Amino acid sequence: MKKEGELVKSYLKDWSNYTDELVIVKSNHDEALDRYLDEGRWMTDSLNFYFSLDLVKKLVEGGDPLKFLIEGLLKLKTSSKINWLKRDEDYNVYGVECGSHGDLGSNGSRGNPISLEKAYYKMVGAHRHTAGIHRQVYIVGTSSNLRLDYNKGPSSWTNTMCLVYPGGCRQLINI
């Protein structure tokens, strides 16, 4: 866990050099850490047991374990540039909602471009890891490697980012 935290810290530090503000949207990805802690899996994980104790305490206190891991335990220095959003916290850029990862849809359903468009109208989401546009919903790809140990077989994942210009015009950029 500490090694993966160091990778995240390095990634955030690098990206914070290119922007005035780096926004971390709460999603199923970082909530996997919350579930790992909440379900007590850390108690039988001898490799991560001791390191997890402070994270469990932060979760019990209602804090964000990932934020605490990166900024508290691993001491990320550029943390003043990072805005850690809470789940369901809006982040609007020129009239485009950018605070939803897209994993959650309306009324507890899974996120999909149709329900996300109804909820937000203009938005940029990321959950699918595959770039796409559905009317006013733009979906970016992933900034990770396209081949990870858990995605087997053919993949539609792309390394795609989205630029939001003044006035709300958007552009997907494939890398």
Side-chain angles (χ1 to χ4, degrees), residues 26-53:
K26 193 74 171 165
S27 72
N28 59 305
H29 297 274
D30 51 312
E31 288 175 346
L33 174 60
D34 297 8
R35 283 190 305 279
Y36 168 84
L37 298 169
D38 188 51
E39 293 168 1
R41 288 183 276 151
W42 58 274
M43 290 188 277
T44 57
D45 183 352
S46 60
L47 189 62
N48 293 306
F49 177 82
Y50 186 78
F51 193 75
S52 297
L53 293 174

Side-chain angles (χ1 to χ4, degrees), residues 69-87:
L69 169 63
I70 303 303
E71 293 186 347
L73 297 178
L74 300 178
K75 311 269 189 256
L76 179 63
K77 299 285 189 242
T78 59
S79 62
S80 63
K81 285 185 159 188
I82 299 177
N83 181 0
W84 298 81
L85 298 182
K86 293 176 178 51
R87 186 56 104 160

Side-chain angles (χ1 to χ4, degrees), residues 91-141:
Y91 189 81
N92 197 285
V93 179
Y94 300 117
V96 178
E97 179 55 48
C98 297
S100 172
H101 178 65
D103 55 321
L104 299 180
S106 300
N107 303 315
S109 67
R110 297 179 89 193
N112 67 69
I114 295 169
S115 70
L116 293 170
E117 183 183 39
K118 287 179 183 175
Y120 300 112
Y121 184 58
K122 291 177 83 170
M123 78 161 294
V124 174
H127 181 62
R128 296 172 172 239
H129 300 197
T130 302
I133 301 172
H134 175 76
R135 293 190 292 252
Q136 294 297 326
V137 175
Y138 282 53
I139 305 295
V140 300

